[in-house]
Amino acid sequence: MPVPKHEYVSEVWKDGIFANKVIFCTGGAGTICSMQVRAFVHLGANACIVGRKVEKTEQAAKDLETARAGAKVLGIGEVDVRKYEDLAKAAEKCVKELGGIDFVIAGAAGNFLASINQLSPNAFKTVIDIDVIGSYNTLKATLPYLLKSAEKCKSDGLTPSPNGTGGRIIFISATMHYMGQALQTHVNAAKAGVDALSVAVAIEQGPFGITSNVISPGAIAGTEGFARLSKKGTDPMKSPRIPLGRVGTVRDIADATVYLFSDAGSYVNGEVLYDYIADSNSIVDGGAWHVSGTQ
Ligand code: HXC
C-alpha cells in the first residue's frame, strides 16, 4: 500500500520539480532519511541510498521506488561511512547506473545513551568516526560529481537555470549540542564537528556553485532518538517548550530538505536549519528556542 504523499512531503511542492535529478543519501534506510528520499523520488528524482545492512538497505530502496511510477532507487548495502573506499565505490556505482549525483544527504549517524563514565575511548571514537569522519567521507566521495552538477546548473542567481538546481549537500545534525545534553557527550562533540564542517564547505566551495547546509532535527515523532530521549511519563506532544504545540514530524524535515534543494533555496548557504530547539535565526523550530527551560 503506497504511503500517501501528504504523509512525507507537503502538497505545495509541484510533482516533477526534481525530474532528471539524482539524490545520494547515507543512512537512507533510517526513519528520517528514507522520508527525505521518498519526497524527492515522488517529486521526480532517482535515488541511491547506502547503508551498512544489505537486506535493510535493499528493501528500503524497493519501498522507495513505489513513491513514483518509473522511479529508480538503488540500494547499496555493506557501506560503512567510516571507510572512504566504501563511499567512493558507492558514488561511482550511483553515477554509472543513474547518470550523476546532484544532491547529497549525509544522514548516517551513530548514537546511544551513555555517561562519560560508561564511555570507553573506543565508544567515543566510534561516534566521532561515524558522524564526523563519515560526513567528511560522504562529501569527499561525492564532491567531484556535485561540482559537475553545479556547473551544469549554473545561473546568474536572478534567473533560474533551465537545468534546475544541483551541487547541493545537506548534513544531518542534531539540536542537543547547542544547549548540552547529558549522556550524549560523544554525540554533542560529533554534531558540533558536523556543523563546522558544513559551514567551512559552504564558504570554500560556494564560489564553485556548491551549497552546503545543515538540518538539525530535534524531537521528531516516530524516530529511535525520540523514543530514547523522551522523558518517561511525559507527553512530548504537549511540551510547553514548543509554542506551536507539537513536536516535529518526518514531513517537516523532508519539506525543509526539498526547500533547500529546490530553486527556492538557491541563496541559502552555510546555514543550520533547526527543528524544535533553535537560536534566533531558526526557520523550522516552532519557535521553541524562545521558551525557557531545559529539554
Ligand atoms: C556504552 C557502547 C554502547 C552503549 C556501543 N558501545 N553501544 N558503550 N553504551 N550503549 C561501545 C562498544 O562497547 C564499543 O566500545 C564501541 O561503542 C563500538 O561499538 P560496536 O558495537 O563495536 O560498534 P559498531 O558495530 O560500529 O556500532 C556502533 C553504534 C551503532 C554507534 C553502537 O550500532 C549505532 O549507530 N547504533 C544506533 C544507530 C542510531 O541510533 N541511529 C540513529 C541516530 S539518531 P568498546 O570499548 O567496547 O570496544 C540521532 C539523533 C539523536 O543521532 C538521537 C538521540 C538519542
Side-chain angles (χ1 to χ4, degrees):
M1 184 72 172
V3 186
K5 179 183 177 186
H6 69 265
E7 283 189 15
Y8 55 91
V9 70
S10 165
E11 297 282 357
V12 300
W13 303 109
K14 269 196 290 190
D15 288 356
I17 51 173
F18 295 113
N20 305 315
K21 298 292 173 184
V22 175
I23 185 160
F24 181 95
C25 180
T26 67
T31 317
I32 291 179
C33 290
S34 66
M35 285 301 162
Q36 289 172 299
V37 173
R38 184 173 280 276
F40 282 90
V41 173
H42 183 104
L43 298 173
N46 289 324
C48 175
I49 61 169
V50 303
R52 270 201 287 175
K53 294 176 186 150
V54 177
E55 209 178 306
K56 186 180 173 191
T57 309
E58 288 179 355
Q59 187 54 50
K62 268 191 204 147
D63 291 346
L64 288 168
E65 276 189 344
T66 65
R68 175 175 51 83
K72 275 196 213 165
V73 180
L74 196 59
I76 309 177
E78 285 184 334
V79 175
D80 187 335
V81 293
R82 291 168 283 191
K83 296 179 186 152
Y84 171 74
E85 285 309 321
D86 284 7
L87 280 159
K89 273 189 211 150
E92 228 173 84
K93 190 169 180 197
C94 172
V95 171
K96 201 169 163 204
E97 299 204 13
L98 302 178
I101 297 175
D102 301 289
F103 309 117
V104 172
I105 299 173
N111 204 329
F112 46 80
L113 295 174
S115 80
I116 195 81
N117 307 305
Q118 298 162 323
L119 273 174
S120 70
N122 188 44
F124 190 90
K125 182 176 179 298
T126 296
V127 172
I128 298 290
D129 281 349
I130 295 172
D131 292 14
V132 184
I133 306 296
S135 294
Y136 160 79
N137 284 340
T138 304
L139 169 73
K140 181 74 178 164
T142 57
L143 187 59
Y145 310 113
L146 286 176
L147 285 165
K148 271 191 198 157
S149 176
E151 181 63 29
K152 190 173 154 212
C153 299
K154 223 178 216 170
S155 76
D156 59 12
L158 301 173
T159 324
S161 159
N163 295 320
T165 63
R168 300 189 180 182
I169 185 162
I170 285 174
F171 296 90
I172 304 299
S173 184
T175 53
M176 59 184 92
H177 56 298
Y178 305 126
M179 296 171 78
Q181 174 88 36
L183 311 182
Q184 292 279 277
T185 53
H186 43 323
V187 179
N188 279 211
K191 293 301 191 182
V194 171
D195 290 357
L197 172 70
S198 176
V199 175
V201 171
I203 289 164
E204 183 189 291
Q205 296 296 316
F208 307 104
I210 301 291
T211 69
S212 177
N213 291 289
V214 168
I215 290 181
S216 298
I220 301 298
T223 60
E224 241 179 275
F226 183 86
R228 267 183 256 155
L229 283 184
S230 299
K231 283 183 188 139
K232 284 195 180 78
T234 61
D235 181 354
M237 299 303 277
K238 292 186 183 148
S239 170
R241 282 193 48 76
I242 310 173
L244 288 183
R246 65 172 181 85
V247 292
T249 65
V250 286
R251 196 183 86 164
D252 292 321
I253 304 301
D255 278 334
T257 313
V258 169
Y259 161 64
L260 287 172
F261 286 167
S262 75
D263 194 49
S266 291
Y267 206 48
V268 184
N269 189 28
E271 290 301 320
V272 179
L273 303 196
Y274 307 85
D275 190 272
Y276 185 32
I277 296 170
D279 71 11
S280 55
N281 296 320
S282 64
I283 300 179
V284 281
D285 74 333
W289 181 255
H290 302 286
V291 180
S292 63
T294 53
Q295 197 176 351

